[in-house]
Amino acid sequence: MDLILSSVSQGLLWSIMAIGVYLTFRILDIADLTAEGAYPLGAAVCATGIVNGVNPLLATFLAFIGGMLAGLISGLLHTKLKIPALLTGIVTLTGLYSINLKILGKANVALLRQQTLVTQLQKMGLTKTYAVLIIGAIFVLVVIALLTLLLNTQVGLALRSTGDNIPMSEANGINVDKMKIYGYMLSNGLIALCGALLTQNNGYADLNSGTGTIVIGLASVIIAEVILRNLRIGWRLASVVLGSVIYRLIILAILEIPGMDADLVKLFSATLLAFVLFVPELQKKLQIRKPNLSEKSA
């Protein structure tokens, strides 16, 4: 039971990153690899701030701002320099590796005996698992509420329109380049926020922690879409949280298999992503082959 609760708490924290991936992948229809650099950036900013005496909540907010700046760079490279989205992400995450190393000063920074959001709740008598559950639930609810409000404003509707149909959006006077930049910034800000929260949960920040981040985010988004469809924007964001939790539970189930090598987690993650990406296509094929009612009656 403790392992399940731990996986659920991890899923809540990771879901913030998955929501960030959803913004670019589904709303803007952009495959953004900046996530692989924004996640450790958030971790680095938060850990360095905490080690230097910054309030944990403020350090977490600074990590969010750092992620937005990374998104701004990617957005400008894509919209102003006309670099393809996939290459834009690669360029930015490559540059962020050096920036993250400079921020950390070394490959990893430990938060032992440092005050974090998790340890603050633990001092109130909560176990670490429940402390992380509360932190994850609070941040997830705040993120979903604010994003739902934003995406139903004129700016949010323009952002969604840009992802749906760029020529039509331009014809209606929407500055699509500006909307893309906003999307990049918001997405990577959330991904960096996730990095900051998970750093406080893990107790350290690692330079290479971003490897495979995009796979986790995409898997969570696709799992959510396979399970739940045709939802309003607020519920769609909530479904991504559910997808993230289910993803963590699946990984837990795999690791609990006797004799399973924990070093193969990322391989299983990639395999799981490939499978869930194939599920919609499989469903289409099954629906095509499935006879309709008129054929049955005939």
Side-chain angles (χ1 to χ4, degrees):
M1 187 62 184
D2 288 340
L3 287 175
I4 293 176
L5 284 176
S6 178
S7 294
V8 171
S9 65
Q10 291 280 323
L12 287 175
L13 297 183
W14 278 108
S15 68
I16 296 173
M17 183 272 300
I19 291 173
V21 171
Y22 176 84
L23 290 176
T24 49
F25 182 63
R26 278 296 182 239
I27 291 184
L28 284 181
D29 195 24
I30 292 174
D32 181 27
L33 288 178
T34 311
E36 304 258 331
Y39 176 88
L41 174 63
V45 171
C46 183
T48 303
I50 289 174
V51 168
N52 287 281
V54 177
N55 181 278
L57 190 58
L58 177 58
T60 303
F61 178 72
L62 291 175
F64 174 74
I65 297 300
M68 291 189 73
L69 291 175
L72 174 62
I73 294 171
S74 286
L76 291 174
L77 289 175
H78 177 55
T79 59
K80 304 305 179 184
L81 301 187
K82 305 303 178 184
I83 299 175
L86 191 61
L87 295 179
T88 293
I90 294 173
V91 170
T92 307
L93 76 88
T94 302
L96 284 175
Y97 184 89
S98 296
I99 293 174
N100 294 339
L101 181 58
K102 281 295 182 182
I103 294 173
L104 287 172
K106 50 186 175 180
N108 54 70
V109 170
L111 296 178
L112 296 175
R113 294 183 295 276
Q114 299 291 335
Q115 188 179 38
T116 65
L117 294 176
V118 176
T119 59
Q120 285 179 342
L121 288 183
Q122 285 181 293
K123 289 178 181 178
M124 297 179 184
L126 295 173
T127 63
K128 182 178 179 181
T129 299
Y130 283 104
V132 176
L133 273 172
I134 291 173
I135 291 170
I138 291 173
F139 274 90
V140 164
L141 288 173
V142 170
V143 166
I144 290 178
L146 293 178
L147 275 180
T148 302
L149 289 174
L150 174 64
L151 293 175
N152 283 297
T153 62
Q154 288 187 346
V155 173
L157 293 173
L159 186 68
R160 293 157 66 179
S161 174
T162 298
D164 289 337
N165 193 321
I166 289 179
M168 183 64 71
S169 298
E170 290 177 331
N172 283 280
I174 296 174
N175 188 329
V176 295
D177 283 352
K178 185 181 291 185
M179 291 301 109
K180 286 182 179 181
I181 292 173
Y182 288 164
Y184 268 106
M185 292 177 67
L186 194 54
S187 170
N188 287 286
L190 291 175
I191 293 168
L193 174 62
C194 173
L197 293 174
L198 279 165
T199 288
Q200 295 176 72
N201 171 67
N202 298 334
Y204 66 91
D206 188 87
L207 183 63
N208 298 308
S209 58
T211 304
T213 299
I214 191 69
V215 172
I216 297 173
L218 289 174
S220 301
V221 171
I222 302 301
I223 288 173
E225 291 178 342
V226 168
I227 297 174
L228 299 170
R229 295 183 177 182
N230 303 321
L231 301 173
R232 291 176 178 270
I233 187 64
W235 289 109
R236 265 190 278 170
L237 296 176
S239 72
V240 174
V241 178
L242 176 62
S244 178
V245 171
I246 291 174
Y247 171 81
R248 299 310 304 180
L249 291 174
I250 292 173
I251 294 298
L252 172 64
I254 292 173
L255 291 176
E256 287 299 303
I257 298 174
M260 184 57 61
D261 188 353
D263 293 337
L264 299 178
V265 171
K266 291 191 183 296
L267 175 61
F268 287 121
S269 298
T271 304
L272 177 60
L273 175 59
F275 174 73
V276 296
L277 283 172
F278 175 65
V279 168
E281 185 63 27
L282 180 62
Q283 289 176 333
K284 289 180 182 178
K285 291 182 179 180
L286 291 176
Q287 287 172 359
I288 291 174
R289 294 176 182 177
K290 184 178 178 180
N292 57 36
L293 294 177
S294 61
E295 289 174 339
K296 285 183 178 181
S297 61

